[in-house]
Amino acid sequence: MLVLIASLAALFLAEADVPREQPIAGYWEGALTIEGSPLGIAVTIEETAEGFRAHPVISEWIWYAIEPSPVTKTETGIVIADLYGGDAVLTLDPLYGQLVGAIATPDGSIGVHLKPLPPPPRPDWREEEVTFTSDDGTRIAGTLTIPNAPEKAAAIILLHGRGCGRRSVGEARVYAARGMAALTFDKRGAGESSGDCSAATHAQTVADAEAAQRFLQRHRNIDRRRIGYRGTSAGAWTAQALAEKALTRRGLNKPAFLITWIGPATSIRTQQMASARTYGERVGATDEQIALAEEAVALITDQDTADPRVLERLIAIRAQAEREGWYTLMFGPDDLPQTEADVSTLYLKKFRFDPGPVLQDLRDTPYLAVFGAEDGIVPLDDNAAALDRAFSSSPSLNVVVLPNRGHSLEHGDQIVELPGGGTYFKVDTVEPRFMTETILFLQREGFMPR
């Protein structure tokens, strides 16, 4: 009997050691390890008629969608092309079915460890690809993310900052997962929207945002009385100017709330002038360079640029800044002219706005402003003071200051010193407190379920 039991046990163990083919398609979750620090990642691998494809998601990069990557099977595992700056060469552990390997990048090796897990439940929201038309006929394309709920949802319109921004679907999903609809769209001339982004004016940008709100107000699943805006950087001016329209235009509801991330509360001229000084000092510009930047702002906003002497001086300032190598440090590409033909395209010619009057009219509107303590583009003191003056101690105003943050929603890779002398490597990622403070604000104000 003992011999039989031993034989059966040996047979069982021998069969258990026989590798069984682990399916590649499915849901995998794990981490990238960069300089000893983990960065969570989930990868869904699907099999298509053309082969396997990986759909990675890095939750800390909230509004950056990662493009699907081809997956190639090897004798020992798989290769996921261009996963995080390079190809992930992974070996399949036949005993536990885990994928382990690395990504070789110019800056070093990144460890990859993925475990097969049951796929997460299907999200309790849906996405609609939408289009709407601005007042000049420009077609704007976007995505509306809506919670699956019987009642009409509150909604937030996501407004981009300066430049040719495209829709922020990842951020919209954060709201929808918490019971709130979100509309995000490509700016005119960007992504799938028509028009010319480089020529867009402040008035056109605001008109596009107005078209977005009118679209939402007509949507059967949206509570038109509970629509608000989130503007990032220069998108704050878009949000404030849209609110100004909503207070006077027929059929356009007053915003239910306003949220600004690193967004100004002063006029565009004031912000540009303050930025020349504050940002210039932060980046080590000389007093002469700062004075030239201030002079350029004053010439464009206060003088007639059709005057040959004004135009000649602006062209000379740009030429000097380029010759000395500090133009890109202090200016954007469309801030100063190179020739007379550039005058109509200058940022300060296309964008003129002062939010002061409308901010006073919004004293009873829930308003969240998130600033960076070290922001040289939107200086904290000037802009927080402008909000305080406008809201006159109204409880509707909520100001949050993030320490050690400048004019960016992101961190770079950093080695951080810890109390007691230790250090750790902080991986490049999005600053989560912008999103955290926004969710807490929306929950407090009743626009998002707790």
Side-chain angles (χ1 to χ4, degrees), residues 68-226:
S69 301
V71 176
T72 305
K73 294 185 72 172
T74 66
E75 289 185 4
T76 58
I78 63 171
V79 175
I80 303 177
D82 196 23
L83 179 61
Y84 193 86
D87 294 347
V89 181
L90 307 177
T91 299
L92 180 63
D93 164 22
L95 190 57
Y96 295 105
Q98 302 186 12
L99 288 165
V100 181
I103 302 170
T105 73
D107 299 324
S109 180
I110 297 173
V112 184
H113 189 164
L114 300 173
K115 304 174 184 180
L117 291 174
R122 299 186 70 175
D124 198 22
W125 43 261
R126 66 189 186 278
E127 289 178 342
E128 297 178 2
E129 298 305 301
V130 303
T131 60
F132 44 89
T133 304
S134 194
D135 62 356
D136 63 355
T138 300
R139 175 184 170 277
I140 306 297
T143 302
L144 175 61
T145 311
I146 312 174
N148 293 322
E151 65 275 4
K152 292 186 175 184
I156 185 168
I157 303 173
L158 308 182
L159 301 171
H160 295 286
R162 184 173 174 176
C164 301
R166 299 181 65 173
R167 66 190 84 178
S168 304
V169 176
E171 182 187 351
R173 291 172 178 172
V174 174
Y175 299 112
R178 290 163 175 79
M180 186 176 191
L183 176 60
T184 180
F185 57 91
D186 301 330
K187 291 182 77 171
R188 63 167 56 207
E192 297 177 18
S193 293
S194 64
D196 183 352
C197 179
S198 63
T201 65
H202 173 69
Q204 290 171 327
T205 302
V206 177
D208 297 346
E210 178 183 351
Q213 180 170 343
R214 291 188 183 277
F215 167 81
L216 272 187
Q217 289 182 180
R218 295 190 300 268
H219 198 283
R220 64 188 181 282
N221 297 119
I222 302 300
D223 184 346
R224 60 177 294 151
R225 299 163 301 173
R226 298 200 299 153

Side-chain angles (χ1 to χ4, degrees), residues 304-338:
D304 181 7
T305 50
D307 184 329
R309 292 169 300 177
V310 173
L311 178 60
E312 181 181 354
R313 180 58 179 156
L314 287 170
I315 292 173
I317 292 173
R318 174 161 185 159
Q320 179 178 341
E322 289 180 333
R323 186 172 60 252
E324 296 174 357
W326 54 274
Y327 182 81
T328 56
L329 191 68
M330 294 287 287
F331 297 106
D334 57 349
D335 279 344
L336 296 185
Q338 290 180 301

Side-chain angles (χ1 to χ4, degrees), residues 364-379:
D364 296 328
T365 301
Y367 194 115
L368 170 66
V370 185
F371 293 109
E374 307 301 324
D375 192 342
I377 305 296
V378 178

Side-chain angles (χ1 to χ4, degrees), residues 229 239-249 255 353-355 357-358 362:
Y229 325 138
Q240 294 153 355
L242 179 57
E244 188 174 61
K245 278 190 172 186
L247 293 174
T248 58
R249 293 230 169 162
F353 179 65
D354 182 357
V358 71
L362 294 172

